[in-house]
Amino acid sequence: MPHRLRILLAVLCGVSVANIYYAQPLLGQIGADLSLPAAGLGLVVALAQLGYLAGLIVLVPLSDLVDRRNLIALQIGAAATAMMLVAFSTTSLQLLIGITVAGAFSVVVQVIVAYAAAISHPEERGANIGVITSGVVVGIILARTVAGLVADLAGWRAVYSGSAVISLLIAAVALAMLPKDVCPRRKKGSYARAVGSVVTLTTTNRVFRTRALITLFLFASFGALWSGMTLPLSEEPWRLTTTQIGLFGIAGLVGALGAISAGRWADEGKSQRVTGLSLIVLVLSWVLSAQATHSLVLLAIGVIALDFAVQAVHVTSQNLIVAHAPESAGRIIGSYMVFYSLGSAIGAISTTMVFHAAGWGASSAVGGGYAAAALIVWIVDLTRTSRARKQPGRNTARLQSPHAPTGIQNERNY
């Protein structure tokens, strides 16, 4: 894959995914403007993630059936329309509808990742996914920083109207500059089966099931921090502005970019080590983030550690699940990302509710609990795998068979 194409795909991912994360540092302004109660502010972020989930199930499977270049441009344009609805909303209902629709069409990110996975050579697939998904993380993090700055200067509505304009521009860029998609297509009539892939993959493939469950808890922890930390930072003793809160995104960016090499490590067969060490770092990051009411420095270090760990595990997991079925990358990644959305929504809702009831210390305990759960899933699966390999005469052919129903056959790197 040419380097400039990787960069273009990373930029498209970053701009698109930002649409569903602008709200996180803006919750205070949005709530005050549209009279949303503090306990319900997490719903704004959660509905974006639930819309994303719906898009993963309904829209992403299309990428295995139609030209991905055209699909990418169409979905980015649709997301821009929804962002404009958010910008001009006068009631909380209009806002929530717009946020949900924008979330649904922002799944174009996964179409882009599937496109990249499908056209990559096997020996560089992990590295390519690492670079492109780093664009996703950069988009998520800079969305918070830019949103905070723009909101302080021109109000939260300017964030969404500006995003709509930018999205329309990059839709035109995608249509004009992306190479024509010549990847093989699945047979007609397979859309219904593709939509049901999340159930099929979860019930029949151990690698997918394990990685999906880890991702559920991984992004619940991620969402708990990024949706929740706005609340203590905007109160005493800090009273930070949205711009100042958004600057913590720079710390997250440092951590995320530090994990770009995770894809290359996965290509080298180090997936288990990367996953285990990263999940330990994730758990420890919450010890630091819990000090947000006492030390901004410790919080910043915690943010760096958390974003490093999340990106490393996320890239490794995606590389594993598509490695031996690149032609079906759309349905596989779409199914996997269902768990990402569920986790993000759970984290956003739970952290705001717990903070409202018991403060940041309790919210941090919840976020750390999600991280610990992800680590436990990994340890249990590693233990079972090790025991299975030691059992004499155990038949492992099914896991490596080219006829396995899920299309994820070889677990060499797992």
Side-chain angles (χ1 to χ4, degrees):
M1 182 185 295
H3 181 65
R4 64 179 182 179
L5 178 57
R6 282 192 295 185
I7 298 301
L8 173 59
L9 292 173
V11 171
L12 292 176
C13 282
V15 173
S16 298
V17 78
N19 291 338
I20 58 175
Y21 288 94
Y22 287 127
Q24 288 181 340
L26 308 179
L27 292 177
Q29 284 194 18
I30 292 173
D33 191 11
L34 297 178
S35 301
L36 280 169
L41 289 177
L43 188 62
V44 177
V45 177
L47 282 177
Q49 294 297 338
L50 292 175
Y52 199 88
L53 185 153
L56 290 169
I57 296 173
V58 176
L59 298 176
V60 173
L62 289 171
S63 66
D64 291 337
L65 304 172
V66 302
D67 188 304
R68 292 188 179 106
R69 180 183 63 174
N70 295 335
L71 186 61
I72 288 169
L74 180 62
Q75 289 183 338
I76 293 175
T81 303
M83 297 298 280
M84 194 61 70
L85 174 61
V86 173
F88 289 98
S89 60
T90 57
T91 67
S92 58
L93 179 60
Q94 291 174 340
L95 172 84
L96 295 176
I97 291 173
I99 286 287
T100 304
V101 174
F105 284 102
S106 292
V107 294
V108 65
V109 171
Q110 305 315 317
V111 177
I112 295 169
V113 174
Y115 173 82
I119 67 175
S120 296
H121 291 296
E123 63 272 14
E124 67 170 8
R125 183 175 292 115
N128 287 342
I129 291 176
V131 171
I132 292 165
T133 55
S134 71
V136 177
V137 178
V138 170
I140 293 172
I141 293 169
L142 290 186
R144 304 181 182 106
T145 305
V146 172
L149 177 61
V150 173
D152 276 346
L153 294 175
W156 68 270
R157 296 178 187 275
V159 174
Y160 288 99
S161 58
S163 174
V165 173
I166 293 172
S167 294
L168 288 174
L169 290 175
I170 67 164
V173 170
L175 198 58
M177 298 186 65
L178 287 182
K180 185 177 180 180
D181 185 6
V182 295
C183 295
R185 300 285 161 222
R186 295 174 63 82
K187 295 179 181 179
K188 291 183 178 180
S190 62
Y191 176 71
R193 292 194 297 273
V195 169
S197 292
V198 63
V199 176
T200 304
L201 288 164
T202 303
T203 57
T204 63
N205 189 275
R206 183 184 60 80
V207 175
F208 178 88
R209 182 168 56 249
T210 299
R211 289 289 158 170
L213 191 55
I214 288 174
T215 294
L216 177 73
F217 292 120
L218 183 76
F219 280 95
S221 184
F222 182 84
L225 178 69
W226 285 105
S227 295
M229 75 177 190
T230 301
L231 302 175
L233 294 181
S234 61
E235 295 183 351
E236 296 293 345
W238 307 118
R239 290 286 181 183
L240 300 184
T241 65
T242 52
T243 297
Q244 291 169 328
I245 294 173
L247 289 175
F248 278 90
I250 296 175
L253 179 61
V254 171
L257 292 180
I260 286 180
S261 297
R264 187 168 60 252
W265 297 332
D267 287 335
E268 296 171 356
K270 300 176 182 177
S271 299
Q272 285 285 37
R273 277 174 283 179
V274 171
T275 302
L277 291 174
S278 297
L279 289 175
I280 292 172
V281 170
L282 181 65
V283 173
L284 295 177
S285 74
W286 277 102
V287 177
L288 302 173
S289 298
Q291 309 305 313
T293 55
H294 307 292
S295 172
L296 296 182
V297 173
L298 291 179
L299 173 61
I301 297 172
V303 167
I304 292 171
L306 180 138
D307 279 76
F308 171 87
V310 168
Q311 174 70 348
V313 176
H314 187 43
V315 169
T316 300
S317 294
Q318 289 182 93
N319 185 57
L320 282 171
I321 63 176
V322 303
H324 298 281
E327 73 284 354
S328 298
R331 71 185 181 94
I332 295 171
I333 291 178
S335 299
Y336 163 83
M337 292 297 290
V338 166
F339 294 87
Y340 156 94
S341 276
L342 283 173
S344 297
I346 290 169
I349 293 174
S350 60
T351 192
T352 52
M353 291 180 63
V354 171
F355 179 84
H356 184 69
W360 180 244
S363 291
S364 298
V366 170
Y370 292 139
L375 179 60
I376 290 170
V377 171
W378 176 78
I379 291 173
V380 169
D381 182 71
L382 180 65
T383 302
R384 287 179 176 176
T385 303
S386 299
R387 287 177 179 174
R389 288 173 178 170
K390 291 178 182 179
Q391 290 180 8
R394 179 176 173 84
N395 183 5
T396 59
R398 182 180 179 277
L399 292 177
Q400 299 180 357
S401 170
H403 305 293
T406 61
I408 307 173
Q409 298 95 19
N410 191 323
E411 298 181 59
R412 176 179 59 83
N413 287 334
Y414 187 70

